[in-house]
Amino acid sequence: MTWSPKWLDVRTFFLSIVLEAIPFVLLGVFFSAFIQTFVTEEQVRRWTPKNPFIALPFAGLLGVLFPVCECAIIPVVRRLIQKGMPLHVGIVFLLAGPIVNPIVLTSTYTAFTRQPDMAMYRAISALIVAFVIGILVLFFVKKNPLRLGMETEIRHEARHVEASRGKLSATFSHAVDEFFDMGKFLLFGALISALLQVFVSRETMLGIGQTPLSSHLVMMGMAYILSLCSEADAFIAASFANTFQSSSLLAFLVFGPMMDLKTTLLLFHSFRFGFVVKLILAVTITVLVVTLWMPV
C-alpha cells in the first residue's frame, strides 16, 4: 500500500502525539489507582480545607506538589472528586495543575531564554483563570457533574477487587482498567488533532490573526488543535515569537494545557455533557480576558 505524503504526515503527527502522551497517561492512571486503593474518603475530606476560599490556593498548591500534566490529570481529579474532594477544588487542580508544576515552568523558562519572565506570567495567569473558574463552579454548580452511573460503578468495582486481592494487586488492576478506559479517547483525540494539523495549514491561521483579539484566538485555536503536552508546548510557542505578540503566546501556553482536543474528549468521558460545554466556554473566555490584560 502506497501512502500519499499528507497521510504519511497524519501518521507521523498521530504517532508523535500518542507517544508523547502515553507515558504521562500511565503516570496519571497509576497515581489515580494509588488514590483509589490507599486513600480513603475520610482522608480526602480531612486534608481539604473546610473554607471554600482557602481551598482554592490549596488546590493550586497541589499542582506544584504533584507534577502531573494534562494528559494524566483527568483520571486523578475524577478519582479525588469521587473520594470526596469538593468539585470546585478538583476543577482548580485540573486547570492549574498542568501549568504550575515545576517541570512545566522550568521548560517554559528554558524555551523563552530571551523573555524569562514568561514562565512567571504563565503561572500567574493560570492561577487567576483557575481561581475564577473555581469560584464560578462553587457558586453555580450544585449537582455532581460526574457522568451518571460512573461513581457507583467504580466504587462497586473497587470494593470487589480489593476484597479479592491485596492492595498492590488492586492498584495494578485499577491502573490497567483505567488506562484502557481513557486510552481509546486519547487515540481518537490524537487522530483528529493529526488530521487538523495536516489539512488546516498554519498559513491560513496566521492570515487570520492580524489584530490582538484575533491573534489570541488563533493561538488558542492552535493550542487546542495541536494538543501538546504542557512539558513541551513552550518550545512550540517560542517558535512563533517573531510572528505573534507575547500576550497571544501566553494565551497559547495557558489555554492549551487547560483545554485541548484530547482533553475535551477525556472530559466528556468523565463528566456530563452540559458541564463540559459550560466549562469549555468559561475557560475560553477567562483565558482570553486574562491574557489580553496581562502586561507581558
Side-chain angles (χ1 to χ4, degrees), residues 35-256:
I35 292 170
Q36 173 60 40
T37 307
F38 292 96
V39 179
T40 66
E41 285 88 345
E42 180 58 34
Q43 287 173 322
V44 171
R45 294 190 186 99
R46 189 169 65 247
W47 295 338
T48 305
K50 297 293 184 289
N51 186 303
F53 293 100
I54 296 177
L56 294 176
F58 164 78
L61 180 62
L62 285 179
V64 178
L65 298 177
F66 300 105
V68 182
C69 82
E70 75 279 5
C71 305
I73 201 167
I74 293 176
V76 175
V77 170
R78 182 178 72 178
R79 191 71 71 181
L80 287 169
I81 292 172
Q82 290 163 351
K83 288 284 187 178
M85 175 175 280
L87 176 64
H88 71 286
V89 178
I91 294 300
V92 171
F93 180 38
L94 173 73
L95 297 176
I99 299 174
V100 301
N101 78 66
I103 298 172
V104 171
L105 295 181
T106 300
S107 73
T108 306
Y109 182 86
T110 304
F112 286 88
T113 52
R114 295 183 179 180
Q115 197 176 1
D117 55 353
M118 181 64 81
M120 177 188 70
Y121 284 119
R122 187 181 193 183
I124 293 172
S125 300
L127 288 173
I128 292 172
V129 172
F131 290 167
V132 168
I133 302 299
I135 291 171
L136 291 175
V137 169
L138 174 65
F139 285 109
F140 295 107
V141 180
K142 302 304 180 184
K143 295 181 179 179
N144 187 342
L146 287 175
R147 279 183 53 225
L148 188 63
M150 177 170 287
E151 186 171 354
T152 303
E153 175 187 339
I154 292 177
R155 284 181 175 174
H156 172 77
E157 177 257 343
R159 287 194 296 267
H160 176 75
V161 170
E162 289 169 24
S164 59
R165 307 179 185 180
K167 284 189 177 293
L168 186 60
S169 179
T171 300
F172 278 95
S173 177
H174 287 308
V176 170
D177 290 344
E178 191 135 34
F179 176 75
F180 284 106
D181 191 35
M182 305 293 282
K184 57 182 178 287
F185 294 94
L186 170 65
L187 293 175
F188 184 68
L191 176 60
I192 298 298
S193 176
L195 289 169
L196 290 172
Q197 288 185 60
V198 172
F199 292 104
V200 179
S201 68
R202 288 190 180 186
E203 289 73 18
T204 302
M205 301 187 78
L206 290 173
I208 300 170
Q210 298 299 316
T211 67
L213 177 61
S214 63
S215 66
H216 277 66
L217 291 173
V218 166
M219 288 305 291
M220 290 167 66
M222 289 184 65
Y224 188 86
I225 292 170
L226 293 175
S227 298
L228 301 167
C229 269
S230 54
E231 282 84 357
D233 62 355
F235 297 95
I236 303 299
S239 69
F240 291 100
N242 295 325
T243 308
F244 285 98
Q245 301 173 355
S246 295
S247 58
S248 59
L249 300 182
L250 180 63
F252 178 96
L253 293 170
V254 175
F255 186 71

